[in-house]
Amino acid sequence: MRIVLLGAPGSGKGTQAALLKARLNIAHISTGELLRAAVAAGTPLGLQARAVMEKGNLVSDEVVLGMLEERLGLPDVASGFILDGYPRNEAQALALDGLLKRMQLPLDLVVQLDVPEASLLARLAGRAKAEGRADDSPEAVANRLHVYQQQTAPVLEYYARAGRLHRVAGEGSVDEILGRILALT
Ligand code: AP5
Ligand code: MG
């Protein structure tokens, strides 16, 4: 099973992807996690990405696509994957289609976790206190939500136009939401 999980910052992509990974025994590929690992390791890519991420802007398409391509080459991808945080603009959606076509790995499911902005803000404020992620400051969160509206909303339209988008209500208990996603698989 190959799944793309879309949704605004704080919509629960990481939470649900971890559960789907365990339930479906497939790889969880989060471009945000891959980038945070590169920042923590201080690699050249991480050094380049750090300031961009802290402001809540998107890292360049080229860098992220290269990273994704490398990750999709690992053996665990053979059993399937959940893509969390990619694609984030229309160019990335087109690049993903091309890449997966070349790799002969067609997508089975595209899901959008739909969560009202007030809940997103409350969740991210909660996580800022609990974990202190660098881009959970109020300024960075505001910019991440703006970037999502400007650049990622067209990705939803891209999949909707192709009749491939499934919207799932992203509020309620974590298990309820997982059940809604699993019902689509
Ligand atoms: P990324 O890591 O993808 O962050 P994000 O999209 O902003 O989303 P989050 O990880 O904050 O939220 P989430 O949807 O995973 O929700 P979570 O499960 O954590 O990207 C970070 C940055 O990396 C980007 O800004 C960009 O700079 C760069 N980047 C990444 N991908 C890129 C790309 N493709 N191109 C360019 N740049 C890229 O949940 C959030 C909180 O809510 C948690 O505290 C959780 O416990 C809680 N929660 C979860 N579910 C529920 C629930 N049902 N009820 C109540 N609380 C809940
Ligand atoms: Mg996440």
Side-chain angles (χ1 to χ4, degrees):
M1 175 75 52
R2 289 178 289 270
I3 304 173
V4 165
L5 203 49
L6 300 165
S11 59
K13 300 183 295 296
T15 303
Q16 293 300 326
L19 297 171
L20 288 165
K21 172 188 161 138
R23 192 63 88 88
L24 301 174
N25 208 4
I26 55 182
H28 173 193
I29 304 178
S30 158
T31 47
E33 293 293 340
L34 291 171
L35 287 165
R36 280 186 288 280
V39 169
T43 64
L45 189 157
L47 293 173
Q48 202 186 323
R50 183 180 188 143
V52 177
M53 293 175 74
E54 277 180 10
K55 288 201 187 85
N57 290 322
L58 296 186
V59 175
S60 84
D61 290 347
E62 205 187 343
V63 164
V64 180
L65 182 63
M67 208 179 63
L68 178 67
E69 206 165 349
E70 196 180 315
R71 180 63 186 85
L72 286 173
L74 297 186
D76 63 341
V77 166
S79 51
F81 58 77
I82 310 137
L83 208 45
D84 153 11
Y86 194 99
R88 274 179 129 91
N89 59 31
E90 208 163 352
Q92 292 187 6
L94 290 166
L96 181 66
D97 275 347
L99 180 60
L100 294 181
K101 196 166 182 191
R102 231 175 29 248
M103 297 180 83
Q104 297 186 302
L105 298 173
L107 290 174
D108 298 298
L109 181 63
V110 180
V111 179
Q112 175 202 353
L113 290 173
D114 196 10
V115 177
E117 184 161 312
S119 299
L120 299 173
L121 290 169
R123 289 183 189 182
L124 293 175
R127 194 177 62 190
K129 276 194 201 132
E131 293 175 27
R133 203 172 105 176
D135 61 351
D136 279 344
S137 66
E139 301 74 28
V141 165
N143 190 42
R144 282 158 66 203
L145 291 172
H146 176 75
V147 167
Y148 181 78
Q149 285 310 330
Q150 295 296 310
Q151 301 192 48
T152 311
V155 173
L156 303 175
E157 284 157 32
Y158 173 83
Y159 288 117
R161 272 199 308 274
R164 294 160 80 190
L165 185 70
H166 295 266
R167 286 198 180 85
V168 162
E171 283 194 300
S173 77
V174 163
D175 282 340
E176 274 163 6
I177 299 161
L178 177 65
R180 290 174 200 147
I181 300 172
L182 286 173
L184 297 169
T185 64

